[in-house]
Coordinates of all heavy atoms in Angstrom, one line a residue:
V30 N -12.6 -10.7 -2.3 CA -11.9 -12.0 -2.4 C -12.9 -13.1 -2.0 O -13.4 -13.0 -0.9 CB -10.6 -12.0 -1.5 CG1 -9.9 -13.3 -1.6 CG2 -9.7 -10.9 -1.9
K31 N -13.0 -14.0 -2.9 CA -13.9 -15.2 -2.5 C -13.0 -16.3 -1.9 O -12.1 -16.8 -2.6 CB -14.6 -15.8 -3.8 CG -15.6 -14.8 -4.4 CD -16.3 -15.4 -5.6 CE -17.3 -14.4 -6.1 NZ -17.9 -14.9 -7.3
G32 N -13.2 -16.6 -0.7 CA -12.4 -17.6 0.0 C -11.3 -17.1 0.9 O -11.3 -15.9 1.2
D33 N -10.4 -17.9 1.3 CA -9.4 -17.5 2.2 C -8.2 -16.9 1.5 O -7.9 -17.1 0.3 CB -8.8 -18.8 2.9 CG -9.9 -19.5 3.8 OD1 -10.8 -18.8 4.2 OD2 -9.7 -20.7 4.1
V34 N -7.5 -16.0 2.3 CA -6.2 -15.5 1.8 C -5.2 -16.3 2.6 O -5.0 -16.1 3.8 CB -6.1 -14.0 2.1 CG1 -4.7 -13.5 1.6 CG2 -7.2 -13.2 1.4
E35 N -4.4 -17.1 1.9 CA -3.5 -18.1 2.5 C -2.2 -17.6 2.9 O -1.8 -16.5 2.5 CB -3.4 -19.3 1.5 CG -4.7 -20.0 1.2 CD -5.1 -21.0 2.2 OE1 -4.3 -21.4 3.1 OE2 -6.3 -21.4 2.2
S36 N -1.4 -18.4 3.5 CA -0.1 -18.1 4.0 C 0.8 -17.5 2.9 O 0.8 -17.9 1.8 CB 0.6 -19.3 4.5 OG 1.9 -19.1 5.0
N37 N 1.5 -16.4 3.3 CA 2.4 -15.6 2.4 C 1.8 -14.9 1.2 O 2.5 -14.3 0.4 CB 3.6 -16.6 1.9 CG 4.4 -17.1 3.0 OD1 4.7 -16.4 3.9 ND2 4.7 -18.4 2.9
M38 N 0.5 -14.9 1.2 CA -0.2 -14.1 0.1 C -0.3 -12.6 0.6 O -0.2 -12.3 1.8 CB -1.6 -14.6 -0.2 CG -1.6 -16.0 -0.8 SD -3.2 -16.7 -1.0 CE -3.8 -15.7 -2.4
K39 N -0.4 -11.7 -0.4 CA -0.5 -10.3 -0.1 C -1.7 -9.7 -0.9 O -1.8 -10.0 -2.1 CB 0.8 -9.6 -0.4 CG 0.8 -8.1 -0.2 CD 2.1 -7.6 -0.6 CE 2.9 -7.0 0.5 NZ 4.1 -6.3 0.2
V40 N -2.5 -8.9 -0.3 CA -3.6 -8.2 -0.9 C -3.5 -6.7 -0.6 O -3.4 -6.4 0.6 CB -5.0 -8.7 -0.5 CG1 -6.1 -7.9 -1.1 CG2 -5.2 -10.2 -0.7
V41 N -3.4 -5.9 -1.7 CA -3.2 -4.5 -1.5 C -4.3 -3.8 -2.4 O -4.4 -4.1 -3.6 CB -1.8 -4.0 -1.9 CG1 -1.7 -2.5 -1.8 CG2 -0.8 -4.7 -1.1
A42 N -4.9 -2.8 -1.8 CA -5.9 -2.0 -2.6 C -6.0 -0.6 -2.1 O -5.7 -0.3 -0.9 CB -7.3 -2.6 -2.5
T43 N -6.2 0.4 -3.0 CA -6.4 1.8 -2.5 C -7.7 2.0 -1.9 O -7.9 3.0 -1.3 CB -6.1 2.7 -3.7 OG1 -7.1 2.4 -4.8 CG2 -4.7 2.6 -4.2
G44 N -8.7 1.2 -2.2 CA -10.0 1.3 -1.6 C -10.4 0.2 -0.7 O -9.5 -0.4 0.0
D45 N -11.7 -0.1 -0.6 CA -12.2 -1.1 0.4 C -11.8 -2.5 -0.1 O -11.7 -2.8 -1.3 CB -13.7 -1.1 0.4 CG -14.2 0.3 1.0 OD1 -13.4 1.0 1.6 OD2 -15.4 0.5 0.8
I46 N -11.7 -3.4 0.9 CA -11.4 -4.9 0.6 C -12.4 -5.7 1.4 O -12.6 -5.4 2.6 CB -10.0 -5.3 1.0 CG1 -8.9 -4.5 0.2 CG2 -9.8 -6.8 0.9 CD1 -7.5 -4.8 0.7
T47 N -13.1 -6.6 0.8 CA -13.9 -7.6 1.5 C -13.4 -9.0 1.2 O -13.2 -9.4 0.0 CB -15.4 -7.5 1.0 OG1 -15.9 -6.2 1.2 CG2 -16.2 -8.6 1.7
I48 N -13.1 -9.8 2.2 CA -12.6 -11.1 2.1 C -13.7 -12.1 2.7 O -14.0 -12.0 3.9 CB -11.2 -11.3 2.8 CG1 -10.2 -10.3 2.2 CG2 -10.8 -12.7 2.8 CD1 -8.9 -10.2 3.0
N49 N -14.2 -12.9 1.9 CA -15.2 -13.9 2.3 C -14.6 -15.2 2.7 O -14.8 -16.2 2.1 CB -16.2 -14.1 1.1 CG -17.0 -12.8 0.8 OD1 -17.5 -12.1 1.8 ND2 -17.2 -12.5 -0.4
G50 N -13.8 -15.1 3.8 CA -13.1 -16.2 4.3 C -12.2 -15.8 5.4 O -12.4 -14.7 6.0
C51 N -11.1 -16.5 5.6 CA -10.1 -16.2 6.7 C -8.9 -15.6 6.0 O -8.6 -15.8 4.9 CB -9.6 -17.5 7.4 SG -10.8 -18.1 8.5
V52 N -8.1 -14.9 6.8 CA -6.8 -14.4 6.5 C -5.8 -15.3 7.3 O -5.9 -15.3 8.6 CB -6.6 -12.9 6.7 CG1 -5.1 -12.6 6.6 CG2 -7.4 -12.1 5.8
I53 N -5.0 -16.1 6.7 CA -4.1 -17.0 7.4 C -2.7 -16.7 7.1 O -2.2 -16.9 5.9 CB -4.4 -18.5 6.9 CG1 -5.9 -18.8 7.1 CG2 -3.5 -19.4 7.7 CD1 -6.4 -20.0 6.4
K54 N -1.9 -16.1 8.0 CA -0.5 -15.7 7.9 C -0.3 -15.0 6.6 O 0.6 -15.3 5.8 CB 0.4 -17.0 7.9 CG 0.4 -17.6 9.3 CD 1.3 -18.9 9.3 CE 2.7 -18.5 9.0 NZ 3.6 -19.6 9.1
A55 N -1.1 -13.9 6.3 CA -1.0 -13.2 5.1 C -0.9 -11.7 5.4 O -1.1 -11.3 6.5 CB -2.2 -13.5 4.2
S56 N -0.6 -10.9 4.4 CA -0.5 -9.4 4.5 C -1.7 -8.8 3.7 O -1.8 -9.0 2.6 CB 0.8 -9.0 3.9 OG 0.9 -7.6 4.0
I57 N -2.4 -7.9 4.4 CA -3.5 -7.2 3.8 C -3.3 -5.7 4.1 O -3.0 -5.3 5.2 CB -4.9 -7.6 4.5 CG1 -5.0 -9.1 4.5 CG2 -6.0 -6.9 3.8 CD1 -5.1 -9.8 3.1
N58 N -3.4 -4.9 3.0 CA -3.3 -3.4 3.2 C -4.4 -2.8 2.4 O -4.4 -2.8 1.2 CB -1.9 -3.0 2.6 CG -1.6 -1.6 3.0 OD1 -2.4 -0.8 3.2 ND2 -0.3 -1.3 3.1
S59 N -5.3 -2.2 3.1 CA -6.5 -1.6 2.6 C -6.5 0.0 2.7 O -6.3 0.5 3.8 CB -7.8 -2.1 3.3 OG -8.9 -1.4 2.8
G60 N -6.7 0.7 1.6 CA -6.8 2.1 1.7 C -8.2 2.6 2.1 O -8.4 3.8 2.2
G61 N -9.1 1.7 2.4 CA -10.5 2.0 2.9 C -10.9 1.1 3.9 O -10.1 0.6 4.8
R62 N -12.2 0.7 3.9 CA -12.7 -0.2 4.9 C -12.3 -1.6 4.6 O -12.1 -2.0 3.4 CB -14.3 -0.1 4.8 CG -15.0 -1.0 5.7 CD -16.5 -0.9 5.5 NE -17.1 -1.9 6.4 CZ -17.9 -1.6 7.4 NH1 -18.2 -0.3 7.6 NH2 -18.5 -2.5 8.1
L63 N -12.0 -2.5 5.6 CA -11.6 -3.8 5.5 C -12.6 -4.8 6.2 O -12.8 -4.6 7.4 CB -10.2 -4.0 6.0 CG -9.6 -5.4 6.0 CD1 -9.6 -6.0 4.6 CD2 -8.2 -5.4 6.6
V64 N -13.2 -5.7 5.5 CA -14.1 -6.7 6.0 C -13.5 -8.1 5.8 O -13.3 -8.4 4.7 CB -15.5 -6.6 5.4 CG1 -16.4 -7.6 6.0 CG2 -16.1 -5.2 5.6
I65 N -13.3 -8.8 6.9 CA -12.8 -10.2 6.8 C -13.9 -11.0 7.5 O -14.0 -11.0 8.7 CB -11.4 -10.3 7.5 CG1 -10.4 -9.4 6.8 CG2 -11.0 -11.8 7.4 CD1 -9.1 -9.3 7.5
S66 N -14.6 -11.8 6.7 CA -15.8 -12.4 7.3 C -15.5 -13.5 8.3 O -16.3 -13.7 9.3 CB -16.7 -13.0 6.2 OG -16.0 -14.1 5.5
Q67 N -14.5 -14.3 8.2 CA -14.2 -15.4 9.1 C -13.1 -15.3 10.0 O -12.8 -16.2 10.8 CB -14.1 -16.7 8.2 CG -15.3 -17.1 7.5 CD -15.2 -18.4 6.7 OE1 -14.2 -19.1 6.9 NE2 -16.1 -18.6 5.9
G68 N -12.4 -14.1 10.0 CA -11.3 -13.9 11.0 C -9.9 -13.9 10.5 O -9.7 -14.2 9.3
I69 N -9.0 -13.6 11.4 CA -7.6 -13.5 11.1 C -6.8 -14.5 12.0 O -6.9 -14.4 13.2 CB -7.1 -12.0 11.4 CG1 -7.9 -11.0 10.6 CG2 -5.6 -11.9 11.1 CD1 -7.8 -9.6 11.1
I70 N -6.0 -15.3 11.3 CA -5.1 -16.3 12.0 C -3.7 -15.9 11.7 O -3.2 -16.0 10.5 CB -5.4 -17.7 11.5 CG1 -6.9 -18.0 11.8 CG2 -4.5 -18.7 12.2 CD1 -7.4 -19.3 11.2
G71 N -2.9 -15.5 12.7 CA -1.6 -15.1 12.5 C -0.5 -16.2 12.4 O 0.4 -16.1 11.6
G72 N -0.6 -17.1 13.3 CA 0.4 -18.2 13.3 C 1.8 -17.7 13.8 O 1.9 -16.8 14.6
D73 N 2.8 -18.3 13.3 CA 4.2 -17.9 13.7 C 4.6 -16.6 13.2 O 4.0 -16.0 12.3 CB 5.2 -19.0 13.2 CG 4.9 -20.3 13.7 OD1 4.4 -20.4 14.9 OD2 5.2 -21.3 13.0
S74 N 5.7 -16.0 13.7 CA 6.2 -14.7 13.3 C 6.8 -14.8 11.8 O 7.2 -15.8 11.4 CB 7.3 -14.3 14.2 OG 6.8 -14.0 15.5
I75 N 6.7 -13.7 11.1 CA 7.2 -13.5 9.8 C 8.0 -12.2 9.8 O 7.9 -11.4 10.6 CB 6.2 -13.5 8.7 CG1 5.2 -12.4 8.9 CG2 5.4 -14.8 8.6 CD1 4.2 -12.2 7.8
R76 N 8.8 -12.0 8.7 CA 9.6 -10.7 8.6 C 8.7 -9.8 7.7 O 8.2 -10.2 6.7 CB 10.9 -11.0 7.9 CG 11.9 -11.7 8.8 CD 13.3 -11.4 8.4 NE 14.2 -12.1 9.3 CZ 14.6 -11.7 10.5 NH1 14.2 -10.5 10.9 NH2 15.4 -12.4 11.2
N77 N 8.6 -8.5 8.2 CA 7.9 -7.5 7.4 C 8.9 -7.0 6.3 O 10.0 -7.4 6.3 CB 7.4 -6.4 8.3 CG 8.5 -5.5 8.9 OD1 9.6 -5.5 8.5 ND2 8.1 -4.8 10.0
P78 N 8.4 -6.1 5.4 CA 9.2 -5.5 4.4 C 10.5 -4.8 4.9 O 11.5 -4.7 4.1 CB 8.3 -4.6 3.6 CG 7.0 -5.1 3.9 CD 7.0 -5.7 5.3
N79 N 10.5 -4.4 6.1 CA 11.7 -3.7 6.7 C 12.7 -4.7 7.3 O 13.7 -4.3 7.9 CB 11.3 -2.7 7.8 CG 10.4 -1.6 7.2 OD1 10.6 -1.2 6.0 ND2 9.5 -1.1 8.0
G80 N 12.4 -6.0 7.2 CA 13.2 -7.0 7.8 C 13.0 -7.3 9.3 O 13.8 -8.1 9.9
E81 N 12.0 -6.7 9.9 CA 11.7 -6.9 11.3 C 10.8 -8.0 11.5 O 9.9 -8.3 10.7 CB 11.1 -5.6 11.9 CG 11.9 -4.4 11.7 CD 11.2 -3.1 11.9 OE1 9.9 -3.1 11.6 OE2 11.8 -2.1 12.2
Q82 N 11.0 -8.8 12.6 CA 10.1 -9.8 13.0 C 8.7 -9.3 13.4 O 8.7 -8.3 14.2 CB 10.6 -10.7 14.1 CG 11.7 -11.6 13.7 CD 11.3 -12.8 12.9 OE1 11.7 -12.9 11.7 NE2 10.4 -13.6 13.4
Q83 N 7.6 -9.8 12.9 CA 6.3 -9.5 13.3 C 5.4 -10.7 13.4 O 5.8 -11.8 12.8 CB 5.7 -8.5 12.3 CG 6.3 -7.1 12.3 CD 5.4 -6.1 11.5 OE1 5.0 -6.4 10.4 NE2 5.2 -5.0 12.1
R84 N 4.3 -10.6 14.0 CA 3.4 -11.7 14.1 C 3.0 -12.2 12.7 O 3.1 -11.4 11.8 CB 2.1 -11.3 14.9 CG 2.5 -11.1 16.4 CD 1.3 -10.8 17.2 NE 1.6 -10.6 18.6 CZ 1.3 -9.6 19.3 NH1 0.5 -8.7 18.8 NH2 1.7 -9.5 20.6
G85 N 2.5 -13.4 12.6 CA 2.3 -14.0 11.3 C 1.3 -13.4 10.3 O 1.3 -13.7 9.2
A86 N 0.4 -12.5 10.7 CA -0.4 -11.8 9.8 C -0.2 -10.3 10.0 O -0.1 -9.9 11.2 CB -1.9 -12.2 10.0
I87 N -0.1 -9.6 8.9 CA 0.0 -8.1 9.0 C -1.2 -7.5 8.3 O -1.4 -7.7 7.1 CB 1.3 -7.7 8.3 CG1 2.5 -8.4 8.9 CG2 1.5 -6.2 8.3 CD1 3.8 -8.2 8.2
I88 N -2.0 -6.8 9.1 CA -3.2 -6.2 8.6 C -3.2 -4.7 8.8 O -2.9 -4.2 9.9 CB -4.4 -6.8 9.5 CG1 -4.4 -8.3 9.5 CG2 -5.7 -6.2 8.9 CD1 -4.5 -9.0 8.2
K89 N -3.4 -4.0 7.7 CA -3.4 -2.5 7.8 C -4.7 -2.0 7.1 O -5.0 -2.5 6.0 CB -2.2 -1.9 7.1 CG -0.9 -2.2 7.9 CD 0.3 -1.5 7.3 CE 1.5 -1.9 8.1 NZ 2.7 -1.2 7.6
S90 N -5.3 -1.0 7.7 CA -6.5 -0.4 7.1 C -6.6 1.0 7.4 O -6.5 1.4 8.6 CB -7.8 -1.2 7.5 OG -8.9 -0.6 7.0
V91 N -6.9 1.9 6.4 CA -7.2 3.3 6.7 C -8.5 3.5 7.3 O -8.8 4.4 8.1 CB -7.0 4.1 5.4 CG1 -7.4 5.5 5.6 CG2 -5.6 4.0 4.9
G92 N -9.5 2.6 7.0 CA -10.8 2.7 7.5 C -11.1 1.7 8.6 O -10.2 1.3 9.3
I93 N -12.4 1.3 8.7 CA -12.8 0.4 9.8 C -12.4 -1.0 9.4 O -12.5 -1.4 8.2 CB -14.4 0.5 9.9 CG1 -14.8 1.9 10.4 CG2 -14.9 -0.6 10.8 CD1 -16.3 2.2 10.3
L94 N -12.0 -1.8 10.4 CA -11.8 -3.2 10.3 C -12.9 -4.0 10.9 O -13.2 -3.7 12.1 CB -10.5 -3.7 10.9 CG -10.3 -5.2 11.1 CD1 -10.2 -5.9 9.7 CD2 -9.0 -5.4 11.9
T95 N -13.6 -4.9 10.2 CA -14.6 -5.7 10.7 C -14.2 -7.2 10.5 O -13.9 -7.6 9.3 CB -16.0 -5.5 10.0 OG1 -16.3 -4.1 10.1 CG2 -17.1 -6.3 10.6
T96 N -14.2 -8.0 11.6 CA -13.8 -9.4 11.4 C -14.5 -10.1 12.6 O -15.0 -9.5 13.6 CB -12.3 -9.6 11.4 OG1 -12.0 -10.9 11.1 CG2 -11.7 -9.1 12.7
S97 N -14.5 -11.5 12.5 CA -15.1 -12.3 13.6 C -14.1 -12.6 14.7 O -14.5 -12.8 15.9 CB -15.7 -13.5 13.1 OG -14.8 -14.3 12.3
F98 N -12.8 -12.7 14.5 CA -11.8 -12.8 15.5 C -10.4 -12.4 15.0 O -10.2 -12.4 13.8 CB -11.8 -14.3 16.0 CG -11.3 -15.3 15.0 CD1 -10.0 -15.6 14.8 CD2 -12.2 -16.0 14.2 CE1 -9.5 -16.5 13.9 CE2 -11.8 -16.9 13.2 CZ -10.5 -17.2 13.1
I99 N -9.5 -12.2 15.9 CA -8.1 -11.9 15.6 C -7.2 -12.7 16.5 O -7.3 -12.7 17.7 CB -7.8 -10.4 15.8 CG1 -8.7 -9.5 15.0 CG2 -6.3 -10.1 15.5 CD1 -8.6 -8.0 15.3
D100 N -6.4 -13.5 15.9 CA -5.5 -14.4 16.7 C -4.0 -14.2 16.2 O -3.7 -14.5 15.1 CB -5.9 -15.9 16.5 CG -5.0 -16.8 17.2 OD1 -4.5 -16.5 18.3 OD2 -4.8 -18.0 16.7
N101 N -3.2 -13.7 17.1 CA -1.8 -13.5 16.9 C -1.4 -12.8 15.6 O -0.7 -13.3 14.7 CB -1.1 -14.9 16.8 CG 0.4 -14.8 17.1 OD1 0.9 -13.9 17.7 ND2 1.2 -15.8 16.6
A102 N -2.0 -11.6 15.5 CA -1.8 -10.8 14.3 C -1.3 -9.3 14.6 O -1.6 -8.8 15.7 CB -3.1 -10.7 13.4
N103 N -0.6 -8.7 13.7 CA -0.2 -7.3 13.9 C -1.2 -6.5 13.1 O -1.3 -6.6 11.9 CB 1.2 -7.1 13.3 CG 1.7 -5.7 13.4 OD1 1.3 -5.0 14.3 ND2 2.6 -5.3 12.5
V104 N -2.0 -5.7 13.8 CA -3.1 -5.0 13.2 C -2.9 -3.5 13.5 O -2.7 -3.0 14.6 CB -4.5 -5.4 13.9 CG1 -5.6 -4.6 13.3 CG2 -4.7 -6.9 13.7
E105 N -3.0 -2.7 12.4 CA -2.8 -1.3 12.4 C -4.0 -0.7 11.6 O -4.1 -0.8 10.4 CB -1.5 -0.8 11.7 CG -1.3 0.7 11.7 CD -0.1 1.1 11.0 OE1 0.9 0.3 11.1 OE2 -0.1 2.1 10.4
V106 N -4.9 0.0 12.4 CA -6.2 0.5 11.8 C -6.4 1.9 12.2 O -6.2 2.2 13.4 CB -7.4 -0.4 12.3 CG1 -8.7 0.1 11.7 CG2 -7.2 -1.8 11.8
H107 N -6.7 2.8 11.3 CA -6.9 4.2 11.6 C -8.3 4.5 12.0 O -8.6 5.5 12.6 CB -6.5 5.1 10.4 CG -5.0 5.0 10.1 ND1 -4.1 5.8 10.7 CD2 -4.3 4.2 9.3 CE1 -2.9 5.5 10.3 NE2 -3.0 4.5 9.4
G108 N -9.3 3.5 11.7 CA -10.7 3.7 12.1 C -10.9 2.7 13.3 O -10.0 2.3 14.0
N109 N -12.1 2.3 13.5 CA -12.5 1.4 14.6 C -12.2 0.0 14.2 O -12.2 -0.3 13.0 CB -14.0 1.6 14.9 CG -14.3 2.9 15.5 OD1 -13.5 3.5 16.2 ND2 -15.5 3.4 15.2
I110 N -12.1 -0.9 15.2 CA -12.0 -2.3 15.0 C -13.2 -2.9 15.6 O -13.5 -2.8 16.8 CB -10.7 -2.9 15.7 CG1 -9.5 -2.3 15.1 CG2 -10.7 -4.4 15.5 CD1 -8.2 -2.7 15.7
L111 N -14.0 -3.6 14.8 CA -15.2 -4.3 15.2 C -15.0 -5.8 15.1 O -14.9 -6.4 14.0 CB -16.4 -3.9 14.3 CG -16.6 -2.4 14.2 CD1 -17.7 -2.1 13.1 CD2 -17.0 -1.8 15.5
V112 N -15.0 -6.5 16.3 CA -14.8 -7.9 16.3 C -16.0 -8.6 17.0 O -16.5 -8.2 18.0 CB -13.5 -8.3 17.2 CG1 -13.3 -9.7 17.3 CG2 -12.3 -7.6 16.6

């Protein structure tokens, strides 16, 4: 992805995802490695698909997550988190 993933956007892939920008109050679900070059900004709480309140960004990755910072986000990673 070139640029930011903005509020309420959703990115889903069965493989690796690289985002050359920030994730801002968005949902990312990667079936592989996830690289977010400029960081994750969660902001206010949002409802997840189950109707539950969660922090403003929902990040899931089966592989390694690499990012420059994480602020107020719900992060579920099966590999390592490199910040």
Side-chain angles (χ1 to χ4, degrees):
V30 176
K31 293 182 181 180
D33 296 336
V34 179
E35 300 279 341
S36 181
N37 298 318
M38 292 176 74
K39 181 184 243 185
V40 177
V41 178
T43 57
D45 297 345
I46 297 174
T47 299
I48 299 170
N49 294 317
C51 285
V52 172
I53 305 165
K54 291 180 64 176
S56 175
I57 310 294
N58 193 333
S59 172
R62 181 183 175 114
L63 177 56
V64 177
I65 303 170
S66 66
Q67 294 183 12
I69 302 165
I70 302 170
D73 297 330
S74 295
I75 61 173
R76 292 206 178 272
N77 69 16
N79 298 327
E81 303 164 333
Q82 284 291 117
Q83 288 192 315
R84 292 185 178 129
I87 300 170
I88 309 298
K89 294 184 179 182
S90 178
V91 173
I93 295 169
L94 167 63
T95 303
T96 188
S97 56
F98 65 88
I99 301 171
D100 180 31
N101 199 27
N103 181 27
V104 178
E105 179 183 327
V106 177
H107 295 273
N109 293 327
I110 300 174
L111 306 172
V112 180

